[in-house]
Amino acid sequence: MTRLTSTRLADGRELIYFDDAGSPERDAGSLTDHRELPPRADPGELRFDALSGEWVAVAAHRQSRTHLPPADQCPICPTTPANPSEIPAPDYDVVVFENRFPSLGPAVGTIPGTPAWGTSGPAYGRCEVVSFTPSHTGSFAELGETRARTVIEAWAHRTEALSALPGIQQVFPFENRGADIGVTLHHPHGQIYAYPYVTPRAASLGAAASRYFDSSNGRESLTSSILKSERLDGSRMVLEAEHFSAYVPFAARWPLEVHLVPHRQVPDLAALSGEERDELSHVYLELLKRLDALYPTPTPYISAWHQAPLDPALRPSGHLHLQLTSPRRAADKLKYLAGSEAAMGAFINDTTPESVAERLRAVASDSPIRGQEPSSAVPEGAPA
């Protein structure tokens, strides 16, 4: 079992060590932050955009956050005498801590329920950093399965804990990988945002999921139905395992886009069983390795875990899934969101989903995962 050890940094922020299964007890000395840090700032501001009906976080304090420091000044490497970092320990496996420069939080609470033009308030919520490894270089794809499993435990634990905070409506684990995506730290890491509102994308997906769920009298989620259709078609399938399958969606928006879906409808990572988490540590690494195998250099990506919002109207129809996207459309070309996408939200894809899926099947590793060729089997519960 993954071992958890919680402590507080010098300014009061929570930090949790998640140590790999079988690792020794953590030394008490690794729990004390000896730095002198200024008190935490008050939350930023949320402002309501009456034109779109969406909330916008105003976080001017983030202008001073650390930006691509050299390895000897990295804030999430283990602490050394020359670099007293955010992690007090001289070594660790996985660690989660509250962001020193958060977009949301540290205070939590409820935002106005009937906002209008001019409505604003504290940017309630929580922003956490998840460091995948003590190594400054490398990537998630280079982690072993044991370490990947520890990260999954951390995601699940934090999803459950953050969901229980007052006013939180949505918990979002994600990873931005690569300078082309806009990362501010080279060290392999991800983040978790806990929002005091349902984000626009989640609200849109949730509304469509609710309509389908209601039309089926609660018998099937929309994500389950789409997965079933993709498996029957087969041309966009990337891999199929016992508990998870991955495919390039029929209407992919990005040059590289893969959805990884659990076969069982669960709302979030915390609801996955032990067996499902074990398999996820394998198939997720396989997907990331295939993405990097497409080109001579590492592929920039956003790994986004879509979890069901906590809104009682949206949660029953929610179905956890990963959306893995990259703007890379060729070895030396990126897709930029310009007029149509950025201004109108109308995406134009420069690749075909079928060709992308074929390439991702072709670069499969020596993995024992079933389904490295398109499936011709009828999924359980699908019409013959």
Side-chain angles (χ1 to χ4, degrees):
M1 295 291 292
T2 301
R3 181 180 294 109
L4 280 65
T5 308
S6 178
T7 188
R8 293 280 172 178
L9 297 175
D11 56 4
R13 287 175 292 138
E14 184 179 20
L15 179 145
I16 306 174
Y17 294 103
F18 291 82
D19 293 320
D20 294 341
S23 59
E25 292 283 348
R26 180 155 291 281
D27 183 85
S30 68
L31 306 182
T32 303
D33 183 4
H34 296 285
R35 298 173 300 170
E36 293 185 4
L37 297 178
R40 300 196 71 182
D42 291 331
E45 186 181 18
L46 282 183
R47 296 190 180 189
F48 183 70
D49 179 4
L51 196 62
S52 66
E54 299 172 1
W55 290 97
V56 176
V58 179
H61 61 281
R62 284 174 54 79
Q63 287 279 27
S64 60
R65 69 189 186 273
T66 307
H67 183 76
L68 299 178
D72 62 354
Q73 298 174 32
C74 175
I76 57 177
C77 279
T79 279
T80 66
N83 180 35
S85 74
E86 292 279 70
I87 320 299
D91 196 15
Y92 64 86
D93 292 334
V94 175
V95 70
V96 178
F97 62 94
E98 292 184 67
N99 197 323
R100 191 175 176 185
F101 304 97
S103 304
L104 304 169
V108 293
T110 304
I111 61 175
T114 55
W117 182 90
T119 299
S120 65
Y124 291 135
R126 180 71 68 86
C127 294
E128 297 184 341
V129 177
V130 184
S131 182
F132 305 141
T133 169
S135 300
H136 183 70
T137 57
S139 67
F140 197 115
E142 295 171 335
L143 302 179
E145 287 190 26
T146 297
R147 179 59 52 77
R149 183 68 164 78
T150 302
V151 176
I152 292 167
E153 285 299 312
W155 287 335
H157 177 277
R158 301 314 300 154
T159 291
E160 185 172 16
L162 295 173
S163 296
L165 293 178
I168 297 303
Q169 294 296 306
Q170 181 183 343
V171 178
F172 174 48
F174 64 99
E175 180 194 359
N176 297 325
R177 190 276 187 94
D180 290 323
I181 295 296
V183 299
T184 57
L185 295 174
H186 291 300
H187 194 119
H189 73 288
Q191 300 178 69
I192 305 175
Y193 276 22
Y195 301 94
Y197 55 87
V198 178
T199 60
R201 181 65 174 160
S204 175
L205 296 178
S210 290
R211 289 192 297 270
Y212 185 89
F213 194 70
D214 291 344
S215 70
S216 70
N217 294 317
R219 291 191 300 269
E220 184 180 52
S221 74
L222 177 58
T223 300
S224 295
S225 173
I226 291 173
L227 175 59
K228 185 185 300 181
S229 296
E230 290 288 2
R231 295 180 75 187
L232 282 168
D233 179 280
S235 63
R236 289 171 297 277
M237 294 304 299
V238 176
L239 62 82
E240 297 174 76
E242 182 179 356
H243 301 293
F244 286 86
S245 287
Y247 60 88
V248 179
F250 174 77
R253 298 180 171 205
W254 293 91
L256 295 174
E257 180 171 349
V258 182
H259 290 192
L260 177 63
V261 180
H263 298 168
R264 184 171 66 95
Q265 183 189 356
V266 294
D268 54 29
L269 289 156
L272 292 174
S273 68
E275 288 185 353
E276 288 167 330
R277 296 181 194 190
D278 288 343
E279 183 176 278
L280 178 58
S281 67
H282 181 72
V283 298
Y284 183 46
L285 285 173
E286 173 67 14
L287 277 181
L288 295 182
K289 290 174 183 175
R290 294 191 193 191
L291 207 66
D292 273 350
L294 292 176
Y295 297 108
T297 57
T299 298
Y301 64 74
I302 296 175
S303 176
W305 287 100
H306 289 265
Q307 306 194 104
L310 298 169
D311 185 334
L314 300 177
R315 194 161 179 83
S317 59
H319 191 142
L320 170 73
H321 65 280
L322 171 75
Q323 183 185 39
L324 184 61
T325 61
S326 175
R328 195 172 197 176
R329 59 188 179 88
D332 58 348
K333 295 182 176 67
L334 296 176
K335 177 180 179 60
Y336 293 97
L337 300 191
S340 184
E341 291 91 355
M344 290 292 103
F347 276 70
I348 303 166
N349 195 346
D350 303 307
T351 61
T352 65
E354 293 75 17
S355 65
V356 171
E358 183 177 10
R359 292 171 62 206
L360 288 168
R361 290 193 298 269
V363 295
S365 67
D366 294 331
S367 164
I369 294 174
R370 179 177 64 86
Q372 294 185 6
E373 295 298 329
S375 173
S376 60
V378 177
E380 182 180 352

